């Protein structure tokens, strides 16, 4: 039970569930509920990889800041146990997305988003280009479903997704701003600081909503 709880927490379950739900809603619109559940399952598997690798990579930093809410720091699971699940889930996520309703094209677009999530965890979070992986990943999420039906994603879909993705990045960083700066994590929000990051996130959300509802 403790290991299941640890895996759930390490997956960043809240954001994972939100992303999966968004994917399901788009899949329900373009397909019907049967394939939509399969697509949502594939999306969920991909999000698990992003969340788990994030916690595994941040383990030492989380220890230094005594983040006992993190499952690895709390001892709910071990780094080796989490690493084994990542190794298992990675090929499983590829199979679920490439050979499910998304098809090769849609599946590859979604896996591009997962690759961007991994690139953020291991590299981009330390650079001024930290919003870029979020922009690509959030643009890919709805677009992959449209592409699976041989539909060219409209501008509002991929651009609106990109803007909301960047806003999510700024909002997510704000709560750990001071600790990130102490640890040398210098993405764009950390370089701008809390006040400017709040302003930027609001502008991005406003722009995305104006684009989607114009």
């Amino acid at each position: 039970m403790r290991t299941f709880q640890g895996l759930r927490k390490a997956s960043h379950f809240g954001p994972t569930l939100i992303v999966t739900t968004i994917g399901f809603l788009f899949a329900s619109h373009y397909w019907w509920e049967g394939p939509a559940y399969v697509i949502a399952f594939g999306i969920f598997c991909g999000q698990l990889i992003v969340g788990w690798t994030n916690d595994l990579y941040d383990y030492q930093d989380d220890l230094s800041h005594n983040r006992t809410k993190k499952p690895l720091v709390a001892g709910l699971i071990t780094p080796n146990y989490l690493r084994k699940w990542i190794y298992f889930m990675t090929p499983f996520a590829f199979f679920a997305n490439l050979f499910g309703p998304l098809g090769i094209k849609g599946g590859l677009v979604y896996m591009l988003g997962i690759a961007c999530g991994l690139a953020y965890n291991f590299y981009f979070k330390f650079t001024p280009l930290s919003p870029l992986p979020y922009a690509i990943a959030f643009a890919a999420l709805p677009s992959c479903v449209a592409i699976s039906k041989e539909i060219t994603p409209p501008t509002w879909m991929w651009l609106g997704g990109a803007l909301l993705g960047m806003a999510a990045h700024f909002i997510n960083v704000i709560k750990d701003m001071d600790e990130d700066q102490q640890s040398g994590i210098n993405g764009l929000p950390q370089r701008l600081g809390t006040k400017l990051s709040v302003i930027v996130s609001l502008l991005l959300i406003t722009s995305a909503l104006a684009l989607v509802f114009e």
Side-chain angles (χ1 to χ4, degrees):
M1 185 66 179
R2 280 171 59 86
T3 54
F4 174 79
Q5 184 183 13
L7 287 172
R8 180 180 60 80
K9 287 187 174 182
S11 72
H12 299 228
F13 191 72
T16 291
L17 191 60
I18 291 172
V19 171
T20 302
T21 301
I22 292 172
F24 175 77
L25 293 175
F26 275 99
S28 296
H29 174 73
Y30 283 102
W31 290 79
W32 53 280
E33 280 196 1
Y37 282 114
V38 178
I39 290 171
F41 176 72
I43 290 173
F44 179 74
C45 292
Q47 293 304 308
L48 289 179
I49 298 170
V50 176
W52 288 342
T53 54
N54 179 272
D55 262 32
L56 186 63
Y57 187 83
D58 287 348
Y59 176 49
Q60 292 301 324
D61 186 60
D62 290 337
L63 274 177
S64 67
H65 292 291
N66 195 33
R67 294 183 177 126
T68 54
K69 291 184 178 180
K70 293 294 189 75
L72 288 172
V73 178
L76 294 176
I77 50 175
T78 65
N80 187 51
Y81 183 80
L82 184 56
R83 194 176 293 111
K84 288 179 180 178
W85 271 98
I86 293 171
Y87 291 155
F88 166 78
M89 187 58 67
T90 299
F92 190 81
F94 268 100
F95 182 86
N97 285 286
L98 295 179
F99 298 100
L102 287 180
I104 298 297
K105 291 181 181 178
L108 285 175
V109 170
Y110 175 66
M111 294 311 295
L112 171 63
I114 296 304
C116 286
L118 297 177
Y120 172 81
N121 290 341
F122 293 106
Y123 175 73
F124 281 97
K125 69 190 295 181
F126 303 99
T127 77
L129 295 176
S130 60
L132 180 61
Y134 273 81
I136 297 174
F138 275 70
L141 177 62
S143 298
C144 72
V145 182
I147 290 171
S148 72
K149 297 294 286 185
E150 302 295 332
I151 296 172
T152 301
T155 302
W156 68 264
M157 180 183 290
W158 60 266
L159 184 54
L163 292 171
L164 287 175
M166 290 189 288
H169 170 49
F170 279 90
I171 292 170
N172 187 55
V173 167
I174 288 171
K175 67 181 185 301
D176 295 320
M177 181 74 72
D178 293 338
E179 292 177 343
D180 284 350
Q181 290 171 338
Q182 293 170 15
S183 298
I185 301 175
N186 291 315
L188 186 57
Q190 291 89 345
R191 294 167 191 257
L192 295 179
T194 300
K195 290 183 179 179
L196 278 177
S197 291
V198 170
I199 293 172
V200 170
S201 63
L202 291 175
L203 288 174
L204 288 168
I205 292 172
T206 302
S207 299
L209 293 177
L211 181 65
V212 171
F213 295 107
E214 68 174 355

